Each structure stands twice: as structure tokens, then as C-alpha cells.
Amino acid sequence: MSSPAHVAPEETDAFPSLAQLDSVSPVSAVANRLLDLFTSGGIRPGTRLPAERALASSLGVGRSAVREAMAALEILGLVDVRAGSGTYLRNGASDLLPNTMAWGLLISSQPTKELLELRCGLEIFAARLATERASVADLEELEREVDAMEASVTDLHAFVRADRSYHRRMLAAAGNSVLTGQINTIHSLLRVWMERAVEDSEQARVAALEHRTILEALRQQDPDAAASAMAVHMDTATARLSAFLAIEAGDPRVQRA
């Protein structure tokens, strides 16, 4: 079966017309409008999409919103951006439908809230499993990551790297590949925002302490304590991320500290 790259591109003037968007987050709105179109079966794989300027004009948004939406769609593997040629739909509707969860990246506030809720429940379950299954090597690695977090509260880039490594090791200790896949998918969808949500050293110190509390519960092999500690951490992280997203969306009720 030939790849989309070998499908003759169709003329973009045959691309369906698009109504202007409502006044919501432009990037999310553009991406979701295009996703609706892609899954409707109205265009075929290999179809060349209209140019950035044309899409921006028909949707009533700035070109930067179209550019960012296309970048997100490319990351998800839904479109193929070819330098000097244009942007092409990679798959048909039947191939796109199984990726519904991944489209949470193109989020409005409600799907974001639901992703955060799902992440919370899965991370708590992972902490319970890790309590029962963590090896000495797992605990030693988690200790190193917590030490790294505590040592880098004034270097937020290093802090985020250690935080990410801690959660990866926790998942490895939990020993459930399906659970790991689900959490990793959610992390990939939220990663851009998660890595920017810790904004100062005080927030980093709080997060580091929460991670150490979880580790101590694992050492004590106390699944209830581990679950409770992870729940506290998830509540803090979710509140911080939700506030950050509200600021990014321009919610007048939320202001930076």
C-alpha cells in the first residue's frame, strides 16, 4: 500500500469552505475545526491543505494560530508538512479515529480538566503498585531523583528534568505496561504546559517535598500512605497547572503572583 507521500495531491481550491471561529482559544479552535473536517471523510489522504494565509483568512484568525495548530497536528502525525510544497493530510478518517485520546493536545478547558482528573487517578494507582513492586534499585533511583529535585529548586529546567525522571521511575517500579502507556500519553499531551507550570523556587520546593513524602511511603511499603501522598501531590500539581492554563487563556479572574 503506497504511503500518503505518493498520493497525488488534490487542488486546494477543492478544500471545503470553513466558517469563521467563535471567540475561544484560536489555536485550539483551529485544530479542532480541522480535526472535525479530517474525521468527516470529506477529504482524502494526500490532500494538500490550503496555505496558512488562506486558512487564517477563512477562519478569521491570525496566521500564528494556524501555524501553531498545524505544528500540533504534525506532532500527532495527522498532517505532513513538506518544505516548499505544503501541508498534506496523512491519513483517512478510519485511520484517524483511533487517535481520539491524543487529540486532547488540542484542548479546550473541559478536555484539559478531564485529562488532569484521569492523570490524578492513574498516578495514585501507580503509586500503590510501586509500593508493592519497587525493587531496591528502584528506590535508590527515586532517591537520586528527589535529591536532584531538591538541589535544583533555583534551576527550574533541571528541576523539571528530575521531576520527569522521578515519575518515569515510579511507573517502571509499578510494573504495568498498560498503565505506563496511558500515563505517558497524558504526559505527552500536557507536557508543554507541565514544564512551564512550576514558575518559582517555592513551588519547586513544595513539589520536591511532596515527591520525598511519596518515596518515604514506598520505603515503608505502605500503599495507603503512598496513595495519599500522591493524591496530595496531584492536587497541588493540578491546581498549579489549571491556574497556569487559565492565565495563558487570558482568564481575567486569574492573575500571576
Side-chain angles (χ1 to χ4, degrees):
M1 182 176 179
S2 61
S3 66
H6 298 110
V7 177
E10 300 191 11
E11 295 299 323
T12 56
D13 58 8
F15 195 83
S17 61
L18 295 168
Q20 290 199 358
L21 299 169
D22 297 327
S23 56
V24 296
S25 170
V27 176
S28 297
V30 170
N32 279 304
R33 178 64 58 81
L34 291 174
L35 285 170
D36 288 342
L37 179 63
F38 295 165
T39 56
S40 71
I43 58 176
R44 294 191 301 231
T47 297
R48 187 175 63 193
L49 306 186
E52 182 182 286
R53 184 187 299 275
L55 278 175
S57 176
S58 64
L59 292 169
V61 298
R63 293 178 64 179
S64 62
V66 173
R67 191 178 309 120
E68 291 181 40
M70 286 299 183
L73 291 169
E74 184 182 20
I75 289 171
L76 294 175
L78 305 182
V79 298
D80 182 17
V81 179
R82 305 176 199 168
S85 178
T87 301
Y88 298 79
L89 178 64
R90 293 186 62 180
N91 303 104
S94 62
D95 298 312
L96 297 175
L97 288 173
N99 293 323
T100 301
M101 182 177 179
W103 300 341
L105 177 62
L106 314 167
I107 45 183
S108 58
S109 59
Q110 187 61 24
T112 304
K113 178 177 181 292
E114 292 172 359
L115 277 176
L116 292 172
E117 289 174 350
L118 180 59
R119 177 198 177 205
C120 179
L122 294 178
E123 293 273 14
I124 290 171
F125 183 50
R128 282 190 174 277
L129 290 181
T131 303
E132 302 167 358
R133 301 175 180 177
S135 66
V136 172
D138 288 327
L139 295 175
E140 290 174 349
E141 183 61 32
L142 286 166
E143 179 75 40
R144 282 191 287 271
E145 298 302 346
V146 173
D147 288 345
M149 292 172 72
E150 292 172 342
S152 59
V153 293
T154 58
D155 180 352
L156 297 184
H157 291 294
F159 179 88
V160 167
R161 287 195 299 272
D163 187 352
R164 205 161 54 231
S165 295
Y166 179 100
H167 284 275
R168 280 199 298 264
R169 175 57 64 174
M170 174 79 71
L171 288 175
N176 185 306
S177 61
V178 175
L179 177 64
T180 296
Q182 293 296 308
I183 292 178
N184 284 342
T185 296
I186 294 171
H187 283 184
S188 70
L189 303 181
L190 297 172
R191 179 175 174 178
V192 172
W193 297 279
M194 288 169 65
E195 292 185 353
R196 296 165 59 197
V198 177
E199 297 186 290
D200 56 50
S201 59
E202 181 56 32
Q203 290 181 349
R205 288 190 184 92
V206 170
L209 177 60
E210 290 170 350
H211 285 80
R212 184 164 292 284
T213 303
I214 296 165
L215 175 57
E216 291 308 313
L218 297 186
R219 289 191 183 282
Q220 297 298 319
Q221 296 184 311
D222 187 336
D224 290 338
S228 295
M230 181 61 82
V232 169
H233 174 53
M234 286 292 103
D235 285 347
T236 302
T238 297
R240 188 172 60 239
L241 183 56
S242 296
F244 175 82
L245 288 170
I247 291 169
E248 291 292 291
D251 189 335
R253 296 169 298 179
V254 182
Q255 297 181 349
R256 291 190 188 277

